[in-house]
Amino acid sequence: PIIKYYLFKQSSGYVLFGEDVTLEERIRFNATQSLQTNVNRVGELLLGEEDAKRRIARYIKDLENPEIKCISIKISTIYSQISSIGFEETVEKLVQRITPIYAAAKANPFINSKGEKQYKLVNFDMEEYRDLSITVEVFKRALSLPEFHDLKAGIALQAYLPDSFEVLKDIIEFGKKRISEGKSPVRVRVVKGANMDMESFE
């Protein structure tokens, strides 16, 4: 209990421990400070496909919450059998899993500060290096579905990976093509990368 207490205390500045009511109170408080909240639920390790289905349902429930306007997800939380060897099968399965999440982002719009209706934002967080190409391909392939041509979505790239620069150029071209076709833009967030120390060690 003592260790748990200090863990909670040390991480309270950036990890919120609580259920929906506590979360909504924090989001409303952030809004009074002109801050937008990106909900990123921790705990990536899946315990099988049933757990993956529960995570997908949780993401959809978050998007149905009027207080939540932006969420971040990792591909490892929606499919437990990710395989670089089975690239095509993995990408196809992940596109199927992300489709209802993107659909929920469209089905639960909100009115932004300009008084305009806006779809909620779903960000893809990047994970281990081995999942980079899979994550990017799922992002592009899912957004290329006809029903998501008017949906703006985001993806994070890790600055410490040399490959990220080429991936960024690829996503920029993908985004430019979308805009030229009258579709919604894409959003790229460049991050330091939480896995840097671990992957440097490996």
Side-chain angles (χ1 to χ4, degrees):
I2 295 176
I3 294 174
K4 187 176 181 181
Y5 167 77
Y6 279 103
L7 281 173
F8 282 12
K9 185 177 179 181
Q10 289 295 321
S11 57
S12 62
Y14 45 89
V15 177
L16 181 64
F17 298 92
E19 298 303 323
D20 291 343
V21 174
T22 307
L23 175 63
E24 290 169 10
E25 287 176 353
R26 176 62 65 90
I27 292 173
R28 283 193 291 269
F29 172 77
N30 286 352
T32 65
Q33 309 300 308
S34 299
L35 296 173
Q36 294 182 337
T37 303
N38 175 9
V39 176
N40 189 342
R41 293 190 177 272
V42 297
E44 288 84 7
L45 186 62
L46 286 180
L47 300 176
E49 284 299 276
E50 288 302 314
D51 195 14
K53 291 176 183 177
R54 283 192 290 271
R55 302 290 183 93
I56 293 171
R58 176 76 260 186
Y59 293 138
I60 292 173
K61 184 179 179 183
D62 282 342
L63 290 167
E64 291 172 346
N65 186 332
E67 298 293 340
I68 297 176
K69 300 175 178 62
C70 175
I71 67 170
S72 285
I73 67 173
K74 297 178 174 66
I75 62 171
S76 64
T77 64
I78 59 176
Y79 185 41
S80 66
Q81 305 299 315
I82 293 174
S83 169
S84 300
I85 297 174
F87 184 87
E88 275 301 318
E89 182 180 355
T90 297
V91 169
E92 288 178 11
K93 182 63 72 173
L94 283 165
V95 169
Q96 293 173 14
R97 299 288 174 88
I98 193 64
T99 296
I101 298 173
Y102 277 171
K106 287 191 63 175
N108 297 277
F110 65 97
I111 303 301
N112 63 24
S113 58
K114 298 178 181 178
E116 303 167 336
K117 186 174 80 170
Q118 183 176 329
Y119 295 138
K120 295 188 176 181
L121 183 67
V122 177
N123 283 309
F124 267 14
D125 266 356
M126 200 57 67
E127 297 183 90
E128 297 179 51
Y129 174 72
R130 64 182 177 86
D131 295 333
L132 174 62
S133 57
I134 293 175
T135 304
V136 173
E137 185 62 25
V138 171
F139 176 74
K140 291 164 59 179
R141 203 173 293 189
L143 281 181
S144 296
L145 295 173
E147 60 264 41
F148 301 131
H149 286 176
D150 58 345
L151 179 69
K152 179 181 178 182
I155 187 169
L157 294 178
Q158 293 165 324
Y160 72 90
L161 293 177
D163 304 53
S164 290
F165 182 59
E166 293 301 319
V167 172
L168 176 61
K169 290 194 291 185
D170 179 48
I171 294 175
I172 288 173
E173 289 305 312
F174 173 72
K176 284 181 177 179
K177 186 172 184 294
R178 280 177 63 87
I179 292 173
S180 69
E181 295 172 349
K183 303 171 186 175
S184 291
V186 296
R187 172 178 172 175
V188 179
R189 183 164 57 99
V190 180
V191 299
K192 185 187 86 169
N195 295 324
M196 181 171 63
D197 292 337
M198 179 188 72
E199 294 195 326
S200 297
F201 179 76
E202 290 178 349

